[in-house]
């Protein structure tokens, strides 16, 4: 008896029901509940025509469906927002640019011109999400080459 085992554990998907994980099932229930509630309120409380009711219901349920089903950088939206908040709260790295004189002769005047310039500061943000995704792809490529 052979049982297939997925070798790539990073892309393992935890299926609960018909290819959906528990997180997606919860959000599909939320989308269904919010859709029915908004349909009933718009149709029977405000007496709006059917076509406009369907459009309003779709507009109301789209953000919830987006949060539940569309991943950003292979993470759910709340995980992504938590990491993004942590990145923004980290301190900013500052570096000083060094400008070299353009003169090929290397005269003292060129050195003096660069010496009296004001220091230019630039802010650099290191995005952990980009670095993590880069490391994962490098790891995957190294495993495939072996």
């Amino acid at each position: 008896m052979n049982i297939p085992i997925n070798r790539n554990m990073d892309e393992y998907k935890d299926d609960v029901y018909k290819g959906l994980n528990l997180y997606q099932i919860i959000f599909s229930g939320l989308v269904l509940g919010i859709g029915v509630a908004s349909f009933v309120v718009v149709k029977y409380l405000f007496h709006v025509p059917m076509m406009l009711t369907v459009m309003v219901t779709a507009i109301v349920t789209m953000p919830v469906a987006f949060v539940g089903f569309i991943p950003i950088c292979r993470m759910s939206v709340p995980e992504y927002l938590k990491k993004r908040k942590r990145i923004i709260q980290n301190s900013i790295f500052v570096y000083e640019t060094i400008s070299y004189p353009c003169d090929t002769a290397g005269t003292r005047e060129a050195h003096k011109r660069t010496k009296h310039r004001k220091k230019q500061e630039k802010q650099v943000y290191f995005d952990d999400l980009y670095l993590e995704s880069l490391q994962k792809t490098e790891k995957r490529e190294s495993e495939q080459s072996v």
Side-chain angles (χ1 to χ4, degrees), residues 49-77:
M50 181 63 76
M51 189 60 136
L52 189 60
T53 303
V54 171
M55 288 182 197
V56 168
T57 302
I59 290 171
V60 169
T61 56
M62 285 296 171
V64 179
F66 170 74
V67 169
F69 286 94
I70 299 178
I72 300 173
C73 297
R74 297 183 182 179
M75 292 180 281
S76 65
V77 175

Side-chain angles (χ1 to χ4, degrees), residues 27-107:
F27 270 90
S28 63
L30 281 173
V31 167
L32 186 64
I34 291 171
V36 169
S38 65
F39 182 85
V40 168
V41 167
V42 172
K43 179 68 179 164
Y44 296 112
L45 192 63
F46 295 119
H47 304 289
V48 177
M50 181 63 76
M51 189 60 136
L52 189 60
T53 303
V54 171
M55 288 182 197
V56 168
T57 302
I59 290 171
V60 169
T61 56
M62 285 296 171
V64 179
F66 170 74
V67 169
F69 286 94
I70 299 178
I72 300 173
C73 297
R74 297 183 182 179
M75 292 180 281
S76 65
V77 175
E79 290 175 15
Y80 176 77
L81 292 176
K82 285 178 188 175
K83 281 199 172 194
R84 198 73 188 154
K85 182 180 177 184
R86 188 189 58 163
I87 290 168
I88 290 171
Q89 288 176 348
N90 285 342
S91 62
I92 299 171
F93 295 101
V94 178
Y95 72 94
E96 181 181 325
T97 59
I98 301 171
S99 56
Y100 294 103
C102 296
D103 290 353
T104 55
T107 61

Side-chain angles (χ1 to χ4, degrees), residues 98-115 117:
I98 301 171
S99 56
Y100 294 103
C102 296
D103 290 353
T104 55
T107 61
R108 289 187 144 203
E109 292 82 22
H111 181 67
K112 287 179 184 176
R113 281 196 311 262
T114 59
K115 192 174 183 180
R117 288 185 185 166

